[in-house]
């Protein structure tokens, strides 16, 4: 019985153990004093994907990693780097997947071409379906 209680307690405590013990990044939720720099940082954060959440931008995500990335963006903007320089640094660090607008490269060609092929295939199938119905009439 005691082992069962220990087992249940360890399962219930695992989400708490998964939380980071580190303090939050300094600029994760604190805006820059300069409104123009904060606007540039905010625009860039909307274009960057949270690596943990995957479907949210780092501006919208509450994940600790997104907070770290927001802090990095704000610190680098405050230091005078341009959004393009910061985006390039993040792409070098995490890969082009970190941006919502990945560049067209031989590795990403299938991602850009697949929707066109799917549209052509759908039109071809629909054409055959409509042609068959017309012939039946």
């Amino acid at each position: 019985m005691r082992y069962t209680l220990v087992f249940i307690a360890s399962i219930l405590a695992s989400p708490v153990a998964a939380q980071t013990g580190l303090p939050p990044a300094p600029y994760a939720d604190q805006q820059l004093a300069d409104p123009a720099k904060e606007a540039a940082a905010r625009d860039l954060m909307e274009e960057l994907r949270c690596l943990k959440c995957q479907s949210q931008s780092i501006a919208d995500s509450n994940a600790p990693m997104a907070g770290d990335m927001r802090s990095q963006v704000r610190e680098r903007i405050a230091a005078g780097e341009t959004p393009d320089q910061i985006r390039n640094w993040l792409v070098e660090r995490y890969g082009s997947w970190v941006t919502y607008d990945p560049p067209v490269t031989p590795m990403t060609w299938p991602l850009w071409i697949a929707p066109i092929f799917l549209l052509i295939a759908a039109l071809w199938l629909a054409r055959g379906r409509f042609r068959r119905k017309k012939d039946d009439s």
Side-chain angles (χ1 to χ4, degrees):
M1 179 71 171
R2 185 169 53 166
Y3 294 113
T4 306
L5 290 175
V6 170
F7 178 73
I8 291 172
S10 66
I11 288 177
L12 294 176
S14 62
V16 173
Q19 297 296 322
T20 179
L22 298 173
Y27 286 106
D29 298 313
Q30 180 182 348
Q31 295 185 354
L32 296 173
D34 183 355
K37 287 184 178 183
E38 178 61 30
R42 186 57 110 163
D43 289 343
L44 179 58
M45 288 186 275
E46 292 289 337
E47 298 174 12
L48 298 172
R49 184 188 318 259
C50 174
L51 299 173
K52 185 169 183 166
C53 304
Q54 300 178 1
S55 63
Q56 290 182 311
S57 69
I58 63 171
D60 299 330
S61 175
N62 290 327
M65 182 171 220
D68 292 341
M69 291 173 74
R70 285 193 305 270
S71 184
Q72 285 286 329
V73 167
R74 285 185 172 121
E75 288 172 13
R76 288 173 174 265
I77 290 279
E81 289 187 43
T82 66
D84 286 335
Q85 290 172 324
I86 299 166
R87 184 182 303 104
N88 291 338
W89 176 75
L90 287 167
V91 166
E92 284 177 21
R93 188 170 186 176
Y94 299 113
S96 61
W97 192 83
V98 75
T99 180
Y100 280 115
D101 188 21
V104 179
T105 65
M107 286 295 283
T108 60
W109 282 348
L111 296 174
W112 292 99
I113 295 174
I116 295 168
F117 282 127
L118 290 173
L119 181 63
I120 291 170
L123 291 173
W124 182 73
L125 289 171
R127 183 182 147 265
R129 185 90 152 148
F130 289 131
R131 182 179 271 178
R132 198 174 322 137
K133 280 189 176 184
K134 192 175 186 182
D135 291 341
D136 290 342
S137 300

